[in-house]
Amino acid sequence: MKVGVLSVQGAFAEMAAHWRAQGAETFEIRQLSDLDRGMDLLALPGGESTVQGKLLKDLGLFDPLKAKIDGGLPVYATCAGLILLAEKIDDPGRRDDTRPEKWFGALPVAVRRNAYGRQLGSFTMRGDFDGKHDFPMTFIRAPAITDVLSPDVEVLSTFDGAPTAVRWRNITGFTWHPELNAMA
Ligand code: GLN
C-alpha cells in the first residue's frame, strides 16, 4: 500500500513512520508534482491547520487534493488534519466576519480548535477505540468535535461524551494522535 503524507508543516515524519511500521510505502507530498506518484491513502498529520491550509493554497495543492478527497480517496487525518477536513469550524469567540475559513469541508462534523486550552491542552488517556479497550490516546492542543452533521458518521472513540475519532465514507479522522501510540 502506498501512502502519501502531506508534508508541508507539522508532524509528518511521525505520520510517515507510523505507516511504514505497518509495512506501507510512504512518500511526502510537498508540491504538485508529488501527486503524480499516485497513492492508495492520503495521510493528513497534526500541526497548525491555519498554516497547513494556507500553504496548501499557496502551493496549488488545495484543489487537486480536495478533488481526490471528494472523489473517494481513503483519508486518514489527525488533529490539524481533521480540522482541515471538517465541514464546520465552530469558534464562538469570533465575530462572524473573522470566522476562520473552513478548508476541505469534506467531513460532516463541526470542530472547535484548541478546545482543551492552548498551552496545557496536552494529555494522554486510555479508553475504548473502535472495539479495542484500554487504548492509549494522546491529545496535543487538540480540537473537539462539537457536532456530528450526518447520521452516517461512525463514532470510534469519545471523551467526556464527545466524539474524538470518527469514520465517514472514505475518511477516518482523529482529534488525538494515533501515530504516537499503538497501531490504530
Ligand atoms: N491546535 C492545532 C490547530 O488548531 C492542532 C494541534 C495538532 O495538530 N496537534 O491546528
Side-chain angles (χ1 to χ4, degrees):
M1 164 152 122
K2 207 157 132 191
V3 177
V5 180
L6 180 67
S7 303
V8 294
Q9 191 271 339
F12 52 86
E14 291 82 350
M15 183 61 97
H18 170 71
W19 284 102
R20 280 199 301 274
Q22 290 158 63
E25 181 192 333
T26 65
F27 70 95
E28 295 185 343
I29 301 174
R30 292 177 179 274
Q31 55 190 8
L32 204 48
S33 59
D34 294 329
L35 298 182
D36 298 343
R37 300 180 62 165
M39 62 190 121
D40 304 305
L41 181 139
L42 169 66
L44 302 178
E48 273 305 318
S49 54
T50 47
V51 177
Q52 293 183 2
K54 185 175 183 317
L55 285 169
L56 284 175
K57 294 212 161 166
D58 291 352
L59 293 163
L61 281 165
F62 186 82
D63 290 333
L65 283 177
K66 176 161 172 54
K68 285 182 190 297
I69 296 166
D70 291 345
L73 176 69
V75 184
Y76 184 93
T78 179
C79 215
L82 171 76
I83 296 167
L84 288 182
L85 291 170
E87 199 171 294
K88 193 166 167 236
I89 310 289
D90 171 17
D91 197 344
R94 303 217 189 192
R95 296 198 320 272
D96 270 353
D97 56 349
T98 62
R99 256 179 214 287
E101 185 175 1
K102 77 171 178 193
W103 302 97
F104 292 122
L107 177 66
V109 297
V111 298
R112 184 164 64 238
R113 297 179 60 209
N114 300 311
Y116 304 97
R118 228 166 247 277
Q119 298 303 328
L120 300 174
S122 300
F123 57 96
T124 300
M125 57 168 271
R126 303 182 78 91
D128 293 344
F129 165 66
D130 201 15
K132 303 175 191 81
H133 303 296
D134 201 31
F135 198 88
M137 306 180 214
T138 299
F139 295 74
I140 303 172
R141 292 177 299 111
I145 296 173
T146 51
D147 206 358
V148 166
L149 306 172
S150 159
D152 299 331
V153 173
E154 186 187 351
V155 174
L156 304 176
S157 63
T158 59
F159 175 57
D160 266 356
T164 53
V166 293
R167 190 185 290 134
W168 182 75
R169 297 189 182 167
N170 53 316
I171 298 174
T172 308
F174 302 82
T175 63
W176 44 279
H177 285 263
E179 80 282 13
L180 299 182
N181 297 110
M183 158 63 190

